[in-house]
């Protein structure tokens, strides 16, 4: 599949028997040289680094199940850390998040919060850019504006 846009180099390419296409960086170069059959090669998308996602959870927590389900539906990989099986991991989670509830979700070093916080980011369209699924539109839009405490009302 070919698309219009910038291409690499200027050379003739035989795509079909007897038809020679010329490949240019820009359309205006083709007009200057008088070629009428122009082949635009597909552009390679820049590699988007995949973030490291960590979900601290327990086995029987329905919010943990929902959080993992949302991440699976997005098609991203995540590291699941069970805090009910390892007391040291529970202490680690509490130190990183300053919270005692599960799930606690981290995308790289960004503390998302619990499932409700992640669902809110998804509803506002801010989750996909954090997951590397969409381009960042505005750096200010990614400031953590969610309340830091799950224990009380905002």
């Amino acid at each position: 599949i070919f698309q219009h846009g910038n291409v690499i180099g200027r050379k003739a390419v035989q795509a079909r028997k007897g038809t020679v296409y010329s490949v240019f960086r820009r359309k205006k170069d083709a007009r200057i040289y008088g070629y009428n059959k122009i082949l635009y090669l597909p552009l390679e998308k820049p590699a988007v680094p995949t973030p490291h996602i960590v979900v601290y959870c327990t086995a029987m927590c329905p919010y943990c199940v929902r959080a993992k389900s949302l991440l699976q539906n997005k098609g991203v990989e995540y590291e699941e850390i069970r805090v009910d099986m390892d007391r040291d991991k529970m202490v680690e989670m509490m130190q990183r998040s300053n919270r005692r509830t599960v799930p606690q979700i981290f995308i790289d070093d960004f503390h998302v919060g619990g499932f409700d916080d992640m669902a809110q980011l998804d509803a506002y369209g801010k989750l996909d850019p954090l997951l590397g699924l969409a381009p960042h539109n505005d750096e200010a839009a990614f400031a953590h504006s969610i309340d830091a405490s799950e224990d009380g009302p905002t």
Side-chain angles (χ1 to χ4, degrees):
I1 296 173
F2 298 98
Q3 66 186 32
H4 293 282
N6 291 334
V7 295
I8 299 171
R10 175 184 163 249
K11 61 182 178 179
V13 178
Q14 188 163 354
R16 294 186 205 126
K17 186 176 181 180
T19 305
V20 175
Y21 291 87
S22 295
V23 180
F24 294 92
R25 288 186 191 272
R26 299 175 305 218
K27 284 185 182 180
K28 81 173 189 178
D29 292 341
R31 280 183 266 149
I32 291 170
Y33 291 101
Y35 289 95
N36 58 1
K37 294 193 184 265
I38 304 165
L39 178 68
Y40 291 92
L41 297 177
L43 298 174
E44 290 186 22
K45 294 182 179 178
V48 177
T50 57
H52 182 245
I53 302 167
V54 177
V55 179
Y56 290 95
C57 61
T58 60
M60 301 302 291
C61 168
Y63 290 104
C64 298
V65 172
R66 286 181 176 175
K68 292 185 288 185
S69 176
L70 178 60
L71 292 172
Q72 288 170 354
N73 290 340
K74 295 277 186 188
V76 296
E77 294 181 13
Y78 59 90
E79 178 184 359
E80 179 181 345
I81 299 177
R82 295 270 306 271
V83 296
D84 56 347
M85 311 235 346
D86 189 353
R87 180 79 176 147
D88 293 335
K89 295 297 182 183
M90 172 68 99
V91 172
E92 175 187 310
M93 179 196 77
M94 291 189 322
Q95 288 175 345
R96 283 186 76 184
S97 66
N98 292 326
R99 297 184 184 181
R100 295 178 293 141
T101 58
V102 289
Q104 291 303 318
I105 302 150
F106 290 86
I107 300 174
D108 289 330
D109 291 329
F110 179 73
H111 178 226
V112 174
F115 169 72
D116 292 335
D117 301 324
M118 186 168 65
Q120 183 179 7
L121 284 174
D122 191 33
Y124 289 133
K126 295 179 182 179
L127 183 61
D128 286 350
L130 289 174
L131 296 175
L133 301 175
H136 291 274
N137 293 331
D138 182 12
E139 294 298 325
F142 298 100
H144 194 348
S145 61
I146 299 172
D147 184 25
S149 171
E150 288 184 350
D151 298 333
T154 56

